[in-house]
Amino acid sequence: MKKVVVVFIVSFFLLAFQVPDTKAQSTREKIVSIAKKYQGVNYKWGGVSPSTGFDCSGYTQYVFKEAGLKLPRTADDQFAQGKSVPINKLQPGDLVFYKNTYPSNGITHVGIYIGNNDFISATSSYGIKVNPLDNVYWSKYYYAAKRIIEDDEQTINQIAPTLPIGQFYDVPESYFAHNAIAELSKKGIISGYTGSVFKPGLTITRGQAAIMLNKELQLPATTELKFDDVSPSSAAAYHIAAIERAGVVTGYKDGTFRPNEPITRGQMAIILTKAYKLQNYEAQAFKQFNDVPTSFPTFTEIHALRAHDITQGYQDNTFRPSGKTTRAEFSAFLYRTIN
């Protein structure tokens, strides 16, 4: 009899102190719990199970399936699901997506946000691993987030406060371009997006680069546009005309400027050296980049940036001149040049 009474009392207290969760909250917690239990599982291209290993989208699909939710197989198809959510409104269980610097490749990585500024994903180097969103590598390639789990109206309307000018939720103080982005933003040379986010990993176009550069230089423009593909009514028209008049850009041989085309790192080197007259230096006094031989068309401009300590390239001593320039990279290069 005593045993029955004890069991009853214990059961009563367990029930009395349970806090009811909404469906969305319990699903989010379940996804995070499931995701974490596979930490350390190996990466495998095309892998879809813990016994053989996961690739990034195989892992997210498996976790969501175990939580009772369906996801398509590939990262691109997963990106097509759910609702977009700003980085400052992420909740555990939201999917975070990444792109490298080549937009035509589509989504290149997907993970699950687990709270406290961390996400978990299947990486080719470490398998299932937790990383901070503001990790130097991952923040560079962050693209967007999607919400698959439906929340109630109160949760959806929780909006983080707008940050002061120069501060962004996705640009922490530890980020390599933090000071550059903050200062250029305060000066009105570059701006962020709604929700106090900067999207540092997005590529910057030739037109956007012209705007940023001329906002700093404040060059006068002519009323005559020399490029067939630049509309006089476009936001970049005045700035493109100004830097063309100053001899900073010449456009392409077919008479176009291609303002919507991503600017390469090599092209960035050209416009910065011309705009700030950095060409005069002794190349032999500085180590050459492995992928920029003396015969390379922009050898002088690229090594001018190294000579003036604007860049030291990548850890493997490459500059990667054909690589697309991100918003963060252009901000950092411009800031170092004018300072």
Side-chain angles (χ1 to χ4, degrees):
M1 181 65 182
K2 289 182 179 180
K3 186 181 292 186
V4 174
V5 173
V6 170
V7 172
F8 175 78
I9 293 173
V10 171
S11 300
F12 173 79
F13 276 97
L14 286 174
L15 290 171
F17 287 96
Q18 284 182 339
V19 179
D21 289 330
T22 65
K23 180 179 180 181
Q25 287 173 330
S26 62
T27 302
R28 291 186 181 282
E29 291 174 352
K30 187 185 298 183
I31 285 175
V32 172
S33 177
I34 294 169
K36 286 182 175 180
K37 76 179 183 180
Y38 295 116
Q39 286 186 80
V41 171
N42 292 331
Y43 179 90
K44 182 181 179 181
W45 176 259
V48 294
S49 74
S51 60
T52 59
F54 292 107
D55 63 16
C56 65
S57 57
Y59 171 64
T60 51
Q61 183 189 50
Y62 189 91
V63 170
F64 271 66
K65 181 179 179 180
E66 195 168 326
L69 297 173
K70 291 184 178 180
L71 278 182
R73 173 62 183 91
T74 68
D76 275 323
D77 288 340
Q78 290 178 12
F79 181 68
Q81 306 298 304
K83 300 177 181 178
S84 297
V85 55
I87 195 170
N88 62 319
K89 293 171 64 178
L90 282 172
Q91 295 182 46
D94 289 341
L95 294 178
V96 287
F97 295 89
Y98 295 82
K99 265 190 177 185
N100 63 21
T101 53
Y102 300 93
S104 61
N105 289 352
I107 300 299
T108 53
H109 192 70
V110 59
I112 301 170
Y113 182 68
I114 59 174
N116 297 320
N117 202 45
D118 290 330
F119 77 101
I120 188 169
S121 66
T123 64
S124 57
S125 299
Y126 302 100
I128 307 300
K129 188 177 185 295
V130 174
N131 281 293
L133 286 174
D134 57 8
N135 171 283
V136 173
Y137 175 83
W138 289 111
S139 59
K140 181 178 180 180
Y141 297 112
Y142 178 84
Y143 182 69
K146 286 297 189 73
R147 179 159 296 160
I148 307 300
I149 306 164
E150 294 185 5
D151 296 312
D152 57 35
E153 198 66 25
Q154 181 179 358
T155 303
I156 291 174
N157 290 331
Q158 289 177 347
I159 302 175
T162 300
L163 295 177
I165 294 175
Q167 295 181 26
F168 302 96
Y169 283 104
D170 54 349
V171 183
E173 291 186 6
S174 59
Y175 191 62
F176 82 96
H178 172 270
N179 291 341
I181 292 170
E183 292 303 315
L184 294 179
S185 178
K186 290 175 183 177
K187 292 179 180 179
I189 295 172
I190 195 168
S191 58
Y193 293 85
T194 302
S196 294
V197 294
F198 185 76
K199 301 184 180 180
L202 289 185
T203 53
I204 191 167
T205 67
R206 289 167 53 83
Q208 291 168 340
I211 294 173
M212 283 182 62
L213 183 63
N214 195 48
K215 279 186 176 181
E216 201 286 315
L217 294 172
Q218 297 185 358
L219 297 170
T222 64
T223 56
E224 181 183 357
L225 270 172
K226 295 188 177 180
F227 302 111
D228 298 334
D229 59 341
V230 179
S231 169
S233 62
S234 70
Y238 176 90
H239 303 287
I240 292 172
I243 62 175
E244 189 277 332
R245 181 186 184 189
V248 177
V249 296
T250 56
Y252 292 91
K253 292 181 179 179
D254 61 358
T256 63
F257 183 77
R258 306 176 193 176
N260 297 320
E261 187 176 274
I263 188 169
T264 67
R265 289 167 57 85
Q267 291 170 343
M268 175 181 62
I270 293 173
I271 66 172
L272 289 179
T273 53
K274 285 185 176 180
Y276 295 93
K277 297 178 173 59
L278 304 175
Q279 291 96 328
N280 296 325
Y281 72 98
E282 295 182 7
Q284 64 271 21
F286 298 91
K287 184 179 180 181
Q288 296 179 11
F289 290 112
N290 295 336
D291 58 343
V292 187
T294 53
S295 59
F296 199 78
T298 54
F299 171 87
T300 300
E301 291 83 359
I302 289 172
H303 284 89
L305 298 186
R306 168 167 269 187
H308 289 277
D309 203 27
I310 295 168
T311 181
Q312 293 304 314
Y314 293 91
Q315 290 183 348
D316 60 357
N317 193 42
T318 61
F319 183 76
R320 305 175 193 175
S322 298
K324 305 303 185 292
T325 308
T326 66
R327 284 167 53 82
E329 288 172 336
F330 192 87
S331 299
F333 277 51
L334 179 59
Y335 178 74
R336 293 169 192 164
T337 301
I338 63 181
N339 283 280

